Amino acid sequence: MWHLLKQWDRDLFVYLNSLGIERYDGVWIAITQPITWIPLYLLFAFLIFRYFKGRDATRIISFLLLTLGTTVVLGNLTKYFVARLRPSNVPEWADLIRILQTPSNYSFFSGHAATSFAVTTFIVLVFRRFSNWAYLIYIWPVLFALSRIYVGVHYPSDIIVGALVGSGLAIVFYQVGVKTKAKEKG
């Protein structure tokens, strides 16, 4: 069963990666760079300080940063212990896939997917009571995560697990933040 899942993961990666069109490489390389998304991060911070004041805004930012930091640390530890080669670093795949980046660290799980889904889930939990439009923010982590397949550095399972881990941590830290606020008021 495990072998079948690994084969499915590899086959799906090769298929999705092969859908790449050279003319769009620059767009996907830009999408995969965290620096590209700085305006979005600034928008999140602006919205937090616009809708929440003083201690509430500070608490939200603090728990968001705690979520992000925990996600990064857990992701790096997992990569170290699992030690799964990235598709771009598998020598026999060099002629089979499109490789636009060649990071030297390991693949499982995707830090891009984990951190972007962690931030997005946390932001959605904070803002969902103000507007259902908050859920549109999920466009960002989906594009960000898919870009990792496009540039040849992550398998679909890396993306899926990263998204689940990031979202799960966001839910946990959001709930802890809510309970912390209730205790302070209580």
Side-chain angles (χ1 to χ4, degrees):
M1 179 67 168
W2 183 248
H3 177 72
L4 184 63
L5 287 174
K6 285 172 59 174
Q7 188 60 47
W8 169 82
D9 197 29
R10 290 179 186 135
D11 291 347
L12 183 58
F13 166 79
V14 170
Y15 172 74
L16 292 172
N17 176 264
S18 72
L19 295 176
I21 300 171
E22 192 174 330
R23 180 175 54 189
Y24 299 114
D25 287 354
V27 172
W28 285 101
I29 289 171
I31 288 171
T32 206
Q33 300 299 323
I35 197 166
T36 301
W37 299 98
I38 287 176
L40 184 63
Y41 310 146
L42 293 174
L43 174 63
F44 292 162
F46 169 78
L47 291 173
I48 289 169
F49 284 105
R50 183 177 187 290
Y51 282 89
F52 300 93
K53 303 298 176 215
R55 290 181 67 128
D56 286 341
T58 303
R59 180 184 298 105
I60 291 167
I61 293 290
S62 297
F63 277 97
L64 177 59
L65 291 174
L66 189 58
T67 302
L68 186 60
T70 303
T71 304
V72 169
V73 169
L74 183 60
N76 287 333
L77 286 173
T78 303
K79 283 180 182 184
Y80 175 77
F81 285 109
V82 173
R84 181 183 195 187
L85 282 180
R86 291 178 181 273
S88 58
N89 296 335
V90 176
E92 53 272 10
W93 286 33
D95 295 330
L96 182 64
I97 64 172
R98 294 170 39 81
I99 301 172
L100 303 178
Q101 290 185 337
T102 54
S104 59
N105 62 346
Y106 294 112
S107 178
F108 187 82
F109 53 85
S110 168
H112 281 68
T115 57
S116 61
F117 273 91
V119 169
T120 299
T121 300
F122 195 94
I123 293 294
V124 167
L125 290 169
V126 168
F127 286 105
R128 66 186 172 178
R129 67 185 170 127
F130 297 110
S131 173
N132 286 334
W133 289 92
Y135 291 94
L136 285 177
I137 298 169
Y138 276 107
I139 293 169
W140 164 54
V142 168
L143 286 174
F144 198 44
L146 288 176
S147 74
R148 306 306 286 163
I149 294 172
Y150 187 94
V151 301
V153 297
H154 278 297
Y155 296 97
S157 63
D158 299 338
I159 303 295
I160 293 166
V161 170
L164 291 172
V165 168
S167 297
L169 287 171
I171 292 167
V172 167
F173 281 106
Y174 174 79
Q175 293 298 326
V176 170
V178 167
K179 288 179 182 178
T180 301
K181 181 180 178 181
K183 282 184 181 180
E184 285 180 8
K185 288 187 175 188

